[in-house]
Amino acid sequence: MAREAKKKKSTKLIALSTTNKAYEFKNPLEKKIKYQGEQVEIKLHEDPDGFSYIVWKNKKYMLDVIEKNQNRYTIMINGVWHSFTVETPISLKRRRFLEEQGESSSIVVIEAPMPGKIIDILVEEGSEIKEGEPIIILEAMKMQNEISSHVTGIVKSVEVKKNDSVMKDDVLIEIQKGSTSTSS
Amino acid sequence: MKIKSLLIAKRGEIAIRIIRTARKMGIRSYVIKTIKEPNAWYLEEADEIIDFSEWFDDNLPEFLDIERIIGSVKKHKVDAIHPGYGFLAENPDFARRCEEEKIIFIGPSHDAIYRMGNKTIAIDLARKNNVPLLGGSPGTLANAEEARKIANEIGYPVILKAAAGGGGRGMRVVEKEKDLERMFTLATNEAEKAFNNPDLFLERFVREPRHIEFQILADQHGNVVHLGERECSIQRKHQKLLEESPSPALDRKLRNKMGEAAINIAKSVNYYSAGTVEFLLDADKSFTFMEMNTRIQVEHPVTEMVTGIDLIEQMILIAEGKKLAFTQEEIKLNGWAIEWRINAEDVQSGFSPSLGTIEKISWSENEHVRVDTGVRDGSVITPYYDSMIAKLIVHAETREKALQQSSLAIRKFWIKGTKTTLSFCRAVLQNSNFRKGKFNTSFLSKELKIHYQAEPDEVMLAAFFATYDYARGIHQFEEKPLQIEKSKKIAPWILNKRLR
């Protein structure tokens, strides 16, 4: 039967953290995990209108999916968030392969760390900047914040103008990574 | 004159806080409705709503529109205005306009607001009253060049502050001469924006002081008392994150000495109403005057918990012209109180604002716990106002017990929908130097390396939940592809948004 065939399919899923740590679960829907060599049951309580929580070692852990975009997840647990991509064994293999290929990309994007208004832009296209140098002044929640570059390089493009309103993660500036002495 | 009605020129938790006291005193409360928060909770708590939502001006926010507020108060024949904190609370023109229109301003005189609001005048008054000072520019700075000269005389680091400032805005620490000009520009711009006044002054910067403030109550008959101190050293970029009363750094002798200095500052401007005198306390226990805030403060509840005095009630009684009903000797500090500020901020991304809808909020209250909040299920954290969700105030017999009760209360405080500073509160509670009471304003930058607290198995459990949710999504899709929309429960406020 078709149903049986489906069951035989691998149900293994891997949550890959932002630090590239892989958490493997054989079949998440069974709510069992391997912990210190043993199969342990996860007591998951789901309240569709309210809070979901896991009881683990007699402690309550409040859970919430705060962002979900295809296989990209951000989970809040007891007030701390963690981001993962959920992978199957096959997709993980492909991902690792692609990562090895793509190491050489040298464009770095500076994004708005919070929503706000652009007060001043301290660089222009072609400017040479050093790591830690301020590039933009962003006003958010009535404070002026200096946004600085975390790389050394040359400004490839400026994507915002003075007085623009930006959302969190909007692209502000693109930087061509590298030593700044390579002017032509 | 007995106040029979008052308008609260403010939103959020403090509006609700003032409404409750007004109701207790038999006073009718009026609030202002804005288009930015048409469904806010404070509107429902008030007796009357004055609707400002039909027209609005981006350049003049509703709570700053002096003439419109005064006009509404006259039209509705309201006796008094309570400004809360922020907005018009420390605007001398607003207090003056109230005085001119014979509206009772529940706060100090416009003259006291002006003189304490202008930091250079305030510092001069402190000097004349022999209150210890930091040293710095004699008045406002003409330009960056003058700042450079003075900084070179008194030595780096120095701090640039807005003359009309407060609340950490228009304030920059300058470590080296080469940064001075850039910081001067930043601070000037911020001061101009925030206070409509670009003037700056400069002071010697004490590197690792404690921030200690004294609560003052003064009536219109010359009686001034202090209600003990608040410890506000745990800050991020001059924004307070938690406050306690009393402070672990003070003993009775130092408390009396600083309290007396605070009273002298208040007396120098014939102050009346509730006010707060801020000091820096150095490691050697020497203290210097920083500024006086001529309003009720966010952290006032910790003082209320240890003194048992309702500060809003006192402000109203003082505004009515009543004498203080207690002397300094009769004020007793009872136990220990801590206020945890729960903000909609992403601690893991440098405390950046985390806007959104509070889908669900709950806490457990008991004799140790007080929660002041302006939000409930479905409230929206907008970019127009500050990011505060709630103040969790814990009171117990000793500091140790207050910390224990705090751990419990924070664990039972649940918020769904936005990122919050609760994880930061847990991290602070875990820190051994904080528990010992050994900390100063450098706590966040030096002592607390990780600003949020994650327990050992949390990442693993979160990873499990991500895979579980993903697997369930696939399972649902394979089993019953047509049922997906149906099975999703849509919260009413989200539906509301979609329909609009």
Side-chain angles (χ1 to χ4, degrees):
Chain A
M1 261 164 65
R3 267 191 92 91
E4 287 219 340
K6 217 179 277 170
K7 273 197 179 153
K8 284 217 176 99
K9 215 170 66 182
S10 166
T11 49
K12 192 197 232 175
L13 288 174
I14 301 113
L16 197 63
S17 79
T18 41
T19 54
N20 246 338
K21 196 166 174 207
Y23 296 85
E24 241 183 71
F25 303 96
K26 218 168 166 187
N27 182 358
L29 291 179
E30 279 179 355
K31 300 187 199 170
K32 276 183 190 151
I33 61 170
K34 210 170 173 184
Y35 186 76
Q36 294 176 346
E38 278 178 49
Q39 285 287 323
V40 185
E41 197 194 335
I42 295 243
K43 289 179 200 127
L44 174 65
H45 299 256
E46 283 183 284
D47 175 357
D49 291 326
F51 301 103
S52 297
Y53 60 90
I54 286 173
V55 180
W56 177 255
K57 294 184 184 170
N58 296 321
K59 267 189 178 171
K60 245 181 181 180
Y61 293 85
M62 305 305 298
L63 284 159
D64 193 11
V65 179
I66 54 173
E67 272 160 19
K68 174 155 93 170
N69 185 356
Q70 291 178 351
N71 69 331
R72 288 164 61 186
Y73 273 81
T74 303
I75 304 288
M76 180 92 88
I77 181 160
N78 280 0
V80 179
W81 57 262
H82 305 276
S83 291
F84 304 97
T85 56
V86 177
E87 309 281 355
T88 62
I90 298 162
S91 73
L92 184 63
K93 218 181 214 174
R94 189 174 58 217
R95 190 193 167 92
R96 291 257 148 98
F97 174 76
L98 286 173
E99 269 168 11
E100 270 168 39
Q101 302 284 302
E103 283 288 71
S104 53
S105 166
S106 64
I107 303 289
V108 173
V109 173
I110 308 283
E111 295 173 344
M114 58 193 107
K117 190 171 153 191
I118 305 292
I119 298 300
D120 204 1
I121 300 167
L122 310 171
V123 295
E124 51 193 46
E125 245 178 74
S127 298
E128 294 181 358
I129 51 167
K130 289 203 179 70
E131 188 184 329
E133 265 181 17
I135 46 176
I136 270 178
I137 313 273
L138 178 71
E139 187 181 78
M141 296 242 160
K142 300 172 184 166
M143 294 275 288
Q144 293 200 355
N145 305 280
E146 275 186 1
I147 311 293
S148 47
S149 170
H150 56 273
V151 295
T152 295
I154 292 165
V155 176
K156 190 168 165 282
S157 69
V158 179
E159 301 293 329
V160 288
K161 297 186 301 295
K162 225 169 158 166
N163 294 325
D164 276 3
S165 288
V166 293
M167 300 302 291
K168 184 178 187 304
D169 298 336
D170 275 3
V171 174
L172 303 176
I173 273 173
E174 287 184 334
I175 297 166
Q176 178 86 45
K177 217 159 83 177
S179 117
T180 52
S181 54
T182 54
S183 53
S184 50
Chain B
M1 184 199 142
K2 169 89 181 86
I3 293 171
K4 290 189 221 59
S5 56
L6 62 81
L7 170 88
I8 301 155
K10 178 74 181 177
R11 55 172 289 283
E13 63 88 19
I14 194 71
I16 295 176
R17 161 80 193 80
I18 295 166
I19 290 165
R20 300 234 158 114
T21 289
R23 181 159 301 148
K24 186 178 83 181
M25 298 172 77
I27 298 170
R28 242 182 133 59
S29 56
Y30 288 70
V31 290
I32 293 167
K33 179 179 177 177
T34 70
I35 197 146
K36 290 158 191 152
E37 274 188 322
N39 301 313
W41 184 15
Y42 72 91
L43 298 168
E44 274 172 48
E45 290 291 308
D47 296 315
E48 303 278 350
I49 294 170
I50 296 174
D51 195 351
F52 275 21
S53 55
E54 73 276 20
W55 63 268
F56 65 99
D57 179 352
D58 266 344
N59 297 313
L60 185 56
E62 294 84 345
F63 296 110
L64 289 176
D65 194 339
I66 294 179
E67 289 314 316
R68 198 174 177 196
I69 291 169
I70 299 256
S72 306
V73 162
K74 287 178 75 178
K75 188 178 150 203
H76 291 86
K77 299 196 167 58
V78 177
D79 296 336
I81 297 179
H82 197 305
Y85 48 71
F87 294 121
L88 294 173
E90 290 177 286
N91 182 323
D93 296 334
F94 183 58
R96 187 178 48 77
R97 286 289 293 125
C98 287
E99 284 164 40
E100 283 167 8
E101 299 288 347
K102 306 265 180 288
I103 297 163
I104 299 174
F105 178 75
I106 303 175
S109 68
H110 74 264
D111 175 66
I113 298 176
Y114 170 73
R115 289 203 277 168
M116 281 301 152
N118 188 309
K119 303 307 172 201
T120 52
I121 298 178
I123 283 168
D124 202 43
L125 283 165
R127 187 178 295 119
K128 283 179 184 145
N129 283 278
N130 299 317
V131 174
L133 289 165
L134 273 175
S137 61
T140 54
L141 297 159
N143 49 40
E145 195 41 49
E146 194 193 344
R148 187 194 309 276
K149 253 188 219 150
I150 296 166
N152 283 338
E153 275 167 33
I154 63 174
Y156 287 89
V158 296
I159 184 162
L160 291 165
K161 291 183 182 176
R169 284 181 281 154
M171 217 187 257
R172 296 283 155 164
V173 176
V174 188
E175 298 281 349
K176 294 187 202 83
E177 187 174 351
K178 75 172 176 60
D179 299 330
L180 188 81
E181 204 167 317
R182 191 162 51 90
M183 291 303 185
F184 190 91
T185 310
L186 276 174
T188 304
N189 291 346
E190 210 167 288
E192 167 93 71
K193 267 225 100 107
F195 313 109
N196 229 344
N197 177 353
D199 289 346
L200 301 180
F201 67 102
L202 180 149
E203 276 178 347
R204 178 169 68 86
F205 180 67
V206 185
R207 216 175 267 284
E208 294 181 358
R210 281 185 183 252
H211 176 134
I212 306 279
E213 58 183 34
F214 272 74
Q215 177 67 52
I216 291 293
L217 274 180
D219 64 22
Q220 301 190 42
H221 309 278
N223 302 305
V224 188
V225 296
H226 75 80
L227 273 61
E229 76 279 11
R230 289 187 289 259
E231 163 68 68
C232 308
S233 300
I234 310 279
Q235 306 183 347
R236 184 183 172 275
K237 289 190 177 173
H238 306 288
Q239 304 279 348
K240 295 164 190 166
L241 293 163
L242 68 97
E243 302 90 356
E244 45 187 311
S245 181
S247 162
L250 267 62
D251 55 22
R252 188 189 296 264
K253 208 173 138 199
L254 185 54
R255 179 171 302 120
N256 289 343
K257 213 168 134 192
M258 292 176 79
E260 202 177 309
I263 288 173
N264 286 338
I265 292 283
K267 281 186 172 165
S268 75
V269 286
N270 299 319
Y271 196 84
Y272 57 83
S273 193
T276 297
V277 181
E278 298 191 339
F279 297 102
L280 293 181
L281 182 67
D282 219 334
D284 64 2
K285 305 272 164 161
S286 65
F287 64 91
T288 46
F289 169 70
M290 213 173 16
E291 61 179 37
M292 180 169 189
N293 297 317
T294 54
R295 57 173 154 87
I296 192 76
Q297 287 196 264
V298 174
E299 60 271 26
H300 77 276
V302 290
T303 299
E304 295 187 325
M305 298 307 272
V306 295
T307 59
I309 292 169
D310 179 338
L311 288 169
I312 301 292
E313 183 179 21
Q314 291 301 319
M315 287 179 86
I316 293 172
L317 292 172
I318 290 164
E320 287 177 340
K322 301 241 167 59
K323 282 189 178 166
L324 287 179
F326 36 79
T327 63
Q328 187 67 58
E329 290 70 40
E330 286 167 332
I331 294 162
K332 295 275 177 289
L333 303 183
N334 167 29
W336 209 285
I338 307 180
E339 173 183 277
W340 303 89
R341 293 197 192 191
I342 301 168
N343 298 335
E345 285 169 19
D346 185 352
V347 180
Q348 289 157 270
S349 304
F351 291 81
S352 65
S354 175
L355 307 177
T357 300
I358 306 286
E359 289 170 39
K360 206 154 179 72
I361 176 167
S362 94
W363 62 84
S364 93
E365 229 162 289
N366 59 39
E367 80 264 31
H368 297 288
V369 175
R370 161 178 166 184
V371 174
D372 284 15
T373 180
V375 312
R376 55 183 174 177
D377 294 359
S379 289
V380 180
I381 306 295
T382 74
Y384 306 111
Y385 303 118
D386 63 63
S387 59
M388 192 195 291
I389 298 175
K391 306 187 296 200
L392 168 64
I393 305 116
V394 179
H395 183 219
E397 291 152 44
T398 61
R399 186 167 191 268
E400 206 186 334
K401 285 184 183 163
L403 293 177
Q404 272 171 16
Q405 291 295 335
S406 294
S407 294
L408 281 174
I410 287 164
R411 243 200 123 74
K412 288 180 180 166
F413 209 117
W414 299 339
I415 294 167
K416 187 177 168 179
T418 62
K419 294 165 182 167
T420 75
T421 50
L422 277 166
S423 57
F424 168 79
C425 299
R426 296 214 316 260
V428 173
L429 270 169
Q430 296 287 326
N431 182 279
S432 65
N433 279 332
F434 174 75
R435 298 196 77 95
K436 286 182 208 148
K438 284 195 218 158
F439 55 86
N440 54 45
T441 47
S442 72
F443 182 76
L444 253 77
S445 55
K446 293 216 172 131
E447 171 71 26
L448 196 70
K449 289 291 177 228
I450 295 169
H451 291 163
Y452 57 94
Q453 171 72 17
E455 286 173 34
D457 292 331
E458 278 182 8
V459 192
M460 183 270 292
L461 292 172
F464 163 76
F465 196 61
T467 57
Y468 174 80
D469 190 84
Y470 185 80
R472 191 177 45 182
I474 290 174
H475 182 76
Q476 274 178 358
F477 181 72
E478 284 174 351
E479 291 291 309
K480 37 187 174 180
L482 294 173
Q483 296 285 317
I484 290 177
E485 250 329 292
K486 225 181 187 177
S487 69
K488 256 193 201 161
K489 284 210 173 164
I490 301 174
W493 56 86
I494 292 172
L495 197 63
N496 217 355
K497 250 188 223 162
R498 284 194 192 166
L499 290 174
R500 240 183 263 153

